[in-house]
Amino acid sequence: MFRDREDAGVKLGLELSRLQLHQPVVLALPRGGVLVAVEVANALNAPLDLLIVRKVGAPGNPELAVAAIVDGDPGEVVLNREIVEAYALDEDELRVLIANERPELERRRVAYRGKTKPISIAGKTAIIVDDGAATGTTMKIAIRALKRRSPREIIVAVPVSPQETVAELAREADRVVCLSQPGQFRALSFHYLRFPQLSDSDIVTAMGKAVRSQTGGQQHAAGPGSKAATKSMPRNNREK
């Protein structure tokens, strides 16, 4: 069990620092992943950025994702083709569903990032960080979107996740680093002593305080303010 998200980030950063990573860039999934990612970026002395993902829910079932919009330059839409086919959605219906979610993605982008451009991950090691992965749905979407941006390697880094989810993510990413894989995974909050809900202002504050020490002593932060079982799973063969 972790004391809080910061504690989880410190431990996750220590584990990642043992790997020889080529030009790591830490990408936080808001909201919960940001506090973890700040500590990871500090441990790796790596740039920190946000990876904002907005789920597009199925008609009448908003919790079931038919697609997701991933913020970027340009932004990307990743379809969950199995769900699209199950609901027999045509292009016009999909277009409407996606358009309905774009305003919220844009609101979050402006609130969290301001005018700051996303960091390029081309040829670099992209480390996607969240405070946990229950089903891994959002993380899978993030991985698939990042593959189009030509990173050298994609690493998923989470403090806690069910064993089956870790196995599924390992088929998508090059590596998965997960500190705890409980056999009986309950709600994510059960694995933290403190697990407060985070607001937009919490994210802005965290990103504003994030320090990225780089060559020349410069410090940057993206945004408007600008021993449990440890597994590092190697790349698995997977369909391209």
Side-chain angles (χ1 to χ4, degrees):
M1 181 173 288
F2 303 100
R3 185 171 62 250
D4 52 26
R5 292 182 177 94
E6 290 87 347
D7 174 54
V10 169
K11 293 174 180 176
L12 193 58
L14 178 61
E15 185 67 23
L16 286 162
S17 68
R18 294 172 179 151
L19 307 177
Q20 294 183 339
L21 303 177
H22 174 81
Q23 291 185 280
V25 176
V26 179
L27 303 173
L29 287 174
R31 294 184 177 97
V34 173
L35 300 186
V36 181
V38 167
E39 301 300 335
V40 170
N42 284 341
L44 299 178
N45 192 26
L48 172 64
D49 204 353
L50 296 170
L51 186 59
I52 305 171
V53 179
R54 180 66 179 173
K55 179 172 63 178
V56 179
N61 190 356
E63 294 304 313
L64 184 61
V66 298
I69 316 170
V70 183
D71 184 47
D73 189 16
E76 300 175 78
V77 175
V78 179
L79 297 180
N80 188 341
R81 296 195 178 278
E82 291 183 359
I83 304 302
V84 171
E85 292 174 2
Y87 277 77
L89 297 172
D90 60 29
E91 290 187 8
D92 288 339
E93 291 171 318
L94 273 174
R95 191 178 299 112
V96 171
L97 290 172
I98 292 168
N100 288 341
E101 298 301 335
R102 285 194 183 279
E104 177 60 18
L105 180 78
E106 177 66 12
R107 186 198 69 78
R108 294 187 183 191
R109 185 193 65 76
V110 172
Y112 299 163
R113 184 187 294 284
K115 296 181 179 180
T116 306
K117 297 292 185 182
I119 298 173
S120 172
I121 61 169
K124 302 175 183 178
T125 300
I127 306 172
I128 313 174
V129 178
D130 206 349
D131 54 6
T135 65
T137 300
T138 301
M139 190 68 76
K140 290 176 190 175
I141 289 168
I143 294 167
R144 292 169 188 173
L146 290 185
K147 286 178 182 178
R148 304 174 186 176
R149 303 181 189 179
S150 305
R152 177 189 179 110
E153 182 180 20
I154 297 176
I155 296 176
V156 168
V158 291
V160 60
S161 180
Q163 296 174 3
E164 58 271 20
T165 299
V166 171
E168 291 176 9
L169 292 174
R171 290 192 286 271
E172 300 274 353
D174 296 294
R175 282 192 267 190
V176 177
V177 176
C178 180
L179 302 181
S180 176
Q181 300 178 46
Q184 293 184 336
F185 185 88
R186 305 176 70 183
L188 189 56
S189 60
F190 282 96
H191 302 280
Y192 289 84
L193 291 177
R194 292 186 63 255
F195 196 75
Q197 294 297 313
L198 301 176
S199 66
D200 286 350
S201 62
D202 292 328
I203 303 310
V204 173
T205 298
M207 293 302 294
K209 292 180 179 179
V211 176
R212 301 181 301 172
S213 301
Q214 298 180 343
T215 304
Q218 296 178 341
Q219 295 180 340
H220 303 279
S226 276
K227 192 149 141 207
T230 300
K231 294 290 184 70
S232 177
M233 301 188 67
R235 181 176 187 166
N236 288 345
N237 293 330
R238 60 185 188 277
E239 294 181 0
K240 300 294 185 182

mmCIF file of all heavy atoms in Angstrom, residues 29-30 51-55 68-71 105 108 138 141-142:
data_model
loop_
_atom_site.group_PDB
_atom_site.id
_atom_site.type_symbol
_atom_site.label_atom_id
_atom_site.label_comp_id
_atom_site.label_asym_id
_atom_site.label_seq_id
_atom_site.Cartn_x
_atom_site.Cartn_y
_atom_site.Cartn_z
ATOM 1 N N LEU A 29 -0.936 11.063 -17.265
ATOM 2 C CA LEU A 29 -2.360 11.003 -17.588
ATOM 3 C C LEU A 29 -3.131 11.727 -16.482
ATOM 4 O O LEU A 29 -3.170 11.265 -15.338
ATOM 5 C CB LEU A 29 -2.833 9.550 -17.681
ATOM 6 C CG LEU A 29 -2.375 8.764 -18.913
ATOM 7 C CD1 LEU A 29 -2.790 7.303 -18.791
ATOM 8 C CD2 LEU A 29 -2.949 9.367 -20.187
ATOM 9 N N PRO A 30 -3.731 12.889 -16.787
ATOM 10 C CA PRO A 30 -4.512 13.602 -15.766
ATOM 11 C C PRO A 30 -5.807 12.865 -15.463
ATOM 12 O O PRO A 30 -6.330 12.193 -16.341
ATOM 13 C CB PRO A 30 -4.819 14.953 -16.438
ATOM 14 C CG PRO A 30 -3.942 15.029 -17.642
ATOM 15 C CD PRO A 30 -3.660 13.627 -18.053
ATOM 16 N N LEU A 51 -0.461 14.012 -21.108
ATOM 17 C CA LEU A 51 -1.099 13.286 -22.199
ATOM 18 C C LEU A 51 -2.587 13.249 -21.873
ATOM 19 O O LEU A 51 -3.039 12.432 -21.071
ATOM 20 C CB LEU A 51 -0.519 11.875 -22.326
ATOM 21 C CG LEU A 51 -1.000 11.067 -23.531
ATOM 22 C CD1 LEU A 51 -0.653 11.785 -24.831
ATOM 23 C CD2 LEU A 51 -0.375 9.680 -23.521
ATOM 24 N N ILE A 52 -3.337 14.168 -22.484
ATOM 25 C CA ILE A 52 -4.754 14.338 -22.150
ATOM 26 C C ILE A 52 -5.599 13.473 -23.077
ATOM 27 O O ILE A 52 -5.533 13.614 -24.302
ATOM 28 C CB ILE A 52 -5.164 15.816 -22.273
ATOM 29 C CG1 ILE A 52 -4.248 16.685 -21.406
ATOM 30 C CG2 ILE A 52 -6.619 16.004 -21.863
ATOM 31 C CD1 ILE A 52 -4.435 18.173 -21.616
ATOM 32 N N VAL A 53 -6.380 12.581 -22.496
ATOM 33 C CA VAL A 53 -7.213 11.642 -23.245
ATOM 34 C C VAL A 53 -8.668 11.840 -22.827
ATOM 35 O O VAL A 53 -8.983 11.875 -21.637
ATOM 36 C CB VAL A 53 -6.790 10.181 -22.981
ATOM 37 C CG1 VAL A 53 -7.682 9.217 -23.752
ATOM 38 C CG2 VAL A 53 -5.329 9.971 -23.347
ATOM 39 N N ARG A 54 -9.540 11.981 -23.811
ATOM 40 C CA ARG A 54 -10.978 12.123 -23.535
ATOM 41 C C ARG A 54 -11.727 10.957 -24.148
ATOM 42 O O ARG A 54 -11.693 10.738 -25.364
ATOM 43 C CB ARG A 54 -11.510 13.442 -24.119
ATOM 44 C CG ARG A 54 -13.004 13.662 -23.885
ATOM 45 C CD ARG A 54 -13.316 13.828 -22.426
ATOM 46 N NE ARG A 54 -14.753 14.071 -22.204
ATOM 47 C CZ ARG A 54 -15.326 14.124 -21.013
ATOM 48 N NH1 ARG A 54 -14.590 13.962 -19.921
ATOM 49 N NH2 ARG A 54 -16.620 14.342 -20.896
ATOM 50 N N LYS A 55 -12.402 10.193 -23.312
ATOM 51 C CA LYS A 55 -13.151 9.033 -23.783
ATOM 52 C C LYS A 55 -14.408 9.463 -24.527
ATOM 53 O O LYS A 55 -15.072 10.434 -24.166
ATOM 54 C CB LYS A 55 -13.520 8.152 -22.597
ATOM 55 C CG LYS A 55 -14.320 6.915 -22.948
ATOM 56 C CD LYS A 55 -14.466 6.000 -21.753
ATOM 57 C CE LYS A 55 -15.238 6.661 -20.639
ATOM 58 N NZ LYS A 55 -15.441 5.760 -19.484
ATOM 59 N N ALA A 68 -11.588 7.392 -28.439
ATOM 60 C CA ALA A 68 -11.025 8.384 -27.527
ATOM 61 C C ALA A 68 -10.281 9.418 -28.353
ATOM 62 O O ALA A 68 -9.754 9.121 -29.422
ATOM 63 C CB ALA A 68 -10.090 7.735 -26.521
ATOM 64 N N ILE A 69 -10.279 10.640 -27.847
ATOM 65 C CA ILE A 69 -9.526 11.718 -28.474
ATOM 66 C C ILE A 69 -8.283 11.951 -27.626
ATOM 67 O O ILE A 69 -8.371 12.114 -26.401
ATOM 68 C CB ILE A 69 -10.342 13.013 -28.558
ATOM 69 C CG1 ILE A 69 -11.765 12.732 -29.032
ATOM 70 C CG2 ILE A 69 -9.672 14.020 -29.475
ATOM 71 C CD1 ILE A 69 -12.700 13.922 -28.903
ATOM 72 N N VAL A 70 -7.132 11.967 -28.269
ATOM 73 C CA VAL A 70 -5.865 12.176 -27.580
ATOM 74 C C VAL A 70 -5.311 13.527 -28.001
ATOM 75 O O VAL A 70 -5.091 13.771 -29.182
ATOM 76 C CB VAL A 70 -4.858 11.057 -27.899
ATOM 77 C CG1 VAL A 70 -3.562 11.268 -27.114
ATOM 78 C CG2 VAL A 70 -5.459 9.692 -27.581
ATOM 79 N N ASP A 71 -5.104 14.403 -27.030
ATOM 80 C CA ASP A 71 -4.593 15.736 -27.310
ATOM 81 C C ASP A 71 -3.180 15.658 -27.871
ATOM 82 O O ASP A 71 -2.393 14.787 -27.505
ATOM 83 C CB ASP A 71 -4.589 16.570 -26.027
ATOM 84 C CG ASP A 71 -4.156 17.996 -26.273
ATOM 85 O OD1 ASP A 71 -4.664 18.619 -27.226
ATOM 86 O OD2 ASP A 71 -3.302 18.491 -25.506
ATOM 87 N N LEU A 105 -12.306 18.212 -24.089
ATOM 88 C CA LEU A 105 -10.872 18.006 -24.299
ATOM 89 C C LEU A 105 -10.170 19.354 -24.445
ATOM 90 O O LEU A 105 -9.104 19.578 -23.850
ATOM 91 C CB LEU A 105 -10.629 17.150 -25.540
ATOM 92 C CG LEU A 105 -9.151 16.874 -25.845
ATOM 93 C CD1 LEU A 105 -8.619 15.792 -24.917
ATOM 94 C CD2 LEU A 105 -8.951 16.453 -27.297
ATOM 95 N N ARG A 108 -9.905 21.142 -21.083
ATOM 96 C CA ARG A 108 -8.831 20.600 -20.250
ATOM 97 C C ARG A 108 -7.462 20.993 -20.789
ATOM 98 O O ARG A 108 -6.536 21.286 -20.026
ATOM 99 C CB ARG A 108 -8.955 19.076 -20.166
ATOM 100 C CG ARG A 108 -10.199 18.623 -19.424
ATOM 101 C CD ARG A 108 -10.204 17.125 -19.205
ATOM 102 N NE ARG A 108 -11.435 16.696 -18.560
ATOM 103 C CZ ARG A 108 -11.631 15.478 -18.065
ATOM 104 N NH1 ARG A 108 -10.676 14.567 -18.156
ATOM 105 N NH2 ARG A 108 -12.783 15.170 -17.499
ATOM 106 N N THR A 138 -7.839 3.295 -20.843
ATOM 107 C CA THR A 138 -7.260 4.588 -21.197
ATOM 108 C C THR A 138 -5.793 4.455 -21.562
ATOM 109 O O THR A 138 -5.308 5.087 -22.508
ATOM 110 C CB THR A 138 -7.422 5.583 -20.037
ATOM 111 O OG1 THR A 138 -8.810 5.740 -19.731
ATOM 112 C CG2 THR A 138 -6.832 6.936 -20.391
ATOM 113 N N ILE A 141 -5.337 3.124 -25.110
ATOM 114 C CA ILE A 141 -5.603 4.162 -26.095
ATOM 115 C C ILE A 141 -4.409 5.100 -26.199
ATOM 116 O O ILE A 141 -3.995 5.493 -27.294
ATOM 117 C CB ILE A 141 -6.880 4.928 -25.714
ATOM 118 C CG1 ILE A 141 -8.109 4.036 -25.928
ATOM 119 C CG2 ILE A 141 -7.007 6.231 -26.503
ATOM 120 C CD1 ILE A 141 -9.372 4.575 -25.322
ATOM 121 N N ALA A 142 -3.849 5.462 -25.052
ATOM 122 C CA ALA A 142 -2.689 6.349 -25.045
ATOM 123 C C ALA A 142 -1.503 5.714 -25.777
ATOM 124 O O ALA A 142 -0.813 6.381 -26.558
ATOM 125 C CB ALA A 142 -2.303 6.682 -23.613
#
